[in-house]
Structure formats: structure tokens, C-alpha cells
Amino acid sequence: MVARKKEAPLPKVIDVSLIHKAALDVFSERGYEAATTKEIARRAGVNEVTLYRRFGTKAELIKAALGAELSTSPFGHLTASDDVMADITAIAAAYLETFNSFGAVVMMTMAEVAKTPEFRDAMAALMPNLQNAAGIIARHQAAGRITPGNPFAKLLALIAPLAMTGFLARIGGGPVSDLGQIDPAEVTADFLRGHGV
């Protein structure tokens, strides 16, 4: 009788999206310093060593999670058309929807980058979405539908009131306790009154 070789078990397949979600949950709840890789690993159902092998440091893990998760957000999937009203409304609506899902993480990121040297470049994860939306505005500027000027500044003029309202709603202040009360079409009309041609 021939002895059968015992086959080595297949390596466990790691679901990186679960690691990303766990990292962002722990980070948004506790901040950078108090977010431990031990807790992130526990929530993701992996060994803590796996996190270090795959990402190197806690900062790199959280930055990777930010980039990956924000790229899937509605604000990360905007496209341009020839309809300025539809495009600006889509930017406002996507920003609101993204803030509902990721507002706590973005707010924590902005708070932490100023005080955590190894985390300072984390804001780069937010830039692709902002640059894409500014590009849509630039396209409408080139077509003469939006007044000239820095398209990024125009984008900030559009989303700053939404961001402030979201911030106040998140901390329980201000007249708006639910971002669902904000009408993106109304925000667009206000924006185009000041910046439309």
C-alpha cells in the first residue's frame, strides 16, 4: 500500500476590503493614535502580522484603506456631460451621499493629518475625487457655461456649504440634523446663480 502525501492546506484568502473597512471603522471611532492594529485585525478576522506583511505600517494601512474606499464612493464616479445643471447637481448629490458614508473618516483624516507626521500625506487619498469633480467644472468653463476662474476654487464654493452643513449635522449642531433634507438641485441653482454664465 502506497502512503499518500499529506497535502499542505491552501493559504487563507484575505479579503482586503474587510481589512479596509475595519481600518476605517477603528480609525474614525478612535483617531490615529488609539486605532490599534490589534483591533483592526480582530475586526477584519485576520492575524495582526498579516496587516504588517501586507501594508508595512499602520499609517500605510489606513492610507490604503482611504484610497480604496473613497475610490468606490459616488463622488469617485462622476462623469461629465453637456448639461451643466445635471452635472453640478450630480456633483452635489454625490458629495452628500459620499459624506453620509465617509464623513466621519474624512473629518478624522483632516483632524489627524495636522498632528501625526507619518499620516500627513493621507489627504492625497481625497484628491482624485476632488480633481475629477473640478475637471467637470473646468469642462463647463471651457464651454462657456460657468464663469472663468480656478475650477478647484469653484468646486470648493459648491461643496463648502455642504461640508459645513454635514459637519454641523454630524456633531449635532445647526438647523440641519439630516443631510437628506438638502436638495442638490437647490444647491446647484444657488451655485449657478453666482457662477453660471
Side-chain angles (χ1 to χ4, degrees):
M1 183 164 216
V2 178
R4 294 183 70 174
K5 269 181 141 174
K6 192 173 185 182
E7 291 184 25
L10 293 174
K12 181 180 177 184
V13 176
I14 305 295
D15 186 344
V16 177
S17 66
L18 291 178
I19 295 173
H20 289 163
K21 182 179 179 343
L24 295 184
D25 286 349
V26 174
F27 170 67
S28 65
E29 292 166 12
R30 300 180 180 185
Y32 181 78
E33 286 301 321
T36 65
T37 52
K38 183 176 183 177
E39 178 61 13
I40 293 167
R42 186 190 70 74
R43 290 194 195 184
V46 299
N47 189 303
E48 189 177 13
V49 173
T50 301
L51 300 181
Y52 287 106
R53 283 187 184 140
R54 187 172 285 257
F55 300 99
T57 66
K58 178 173 71 171
E60 291 305 315
L61 164 60
I62 295 172
K63 288 186 283 189
L66 276 168
E69 294 300 302
L70 289 175
S71 72
T72 67
S73 73
F75 202 63
H77 292 280
L78 294 165
T79 57
S81 73
D82 290 330
D83 185 338
V84 67
M85 178 69 89
D87 286 357
I88 300 302
T89 302
I91 291 171
Y95 180 85
L96 289 170
E97 192 176 340
T98 299
F99 192 92
N100 277 331
S101 299
F102 298 102
V105 172
V106 171
M107 288 170 51
M108 185 62 77
T109 301
M110 292 190 303
E112 292 289 342
V113 294
K115 61 184 182 181
T116 310
E118 66 269 26
F119 197 61
R120 287 216 172 112
D121 60 347
M123 290 299 287
L126 308 177
M127 294 312 295
N129 293 354
L130 294 172
Q131 288 168 336
N132 181 50
I136 293 170
I137 288 173
R139 177 177 168 167
H140 288 292
Q141 287 177 306
R145 298 181 196 108
I146 293 179
T147 56
N150 183 318
F152 197 80
K154 300 280 185 191
L155 175 64
L156 293 180
L158 172 64
I159 65 173
L162 301 174
M164 191 59 177
T165 302
F167 172 74
L168 291 173
R170 194 163 287 282
I171 64 169
V176 178
S177 61
D178 177 14
L179 288 178
Q181 296 174 8
I182 298 173
D183 180 4
E186 188 177 311
V187 170
T188 297
D190 287 344
F191 174 80
L192 291 177
R193 270 194 285 278
H195 301 277
V197 174

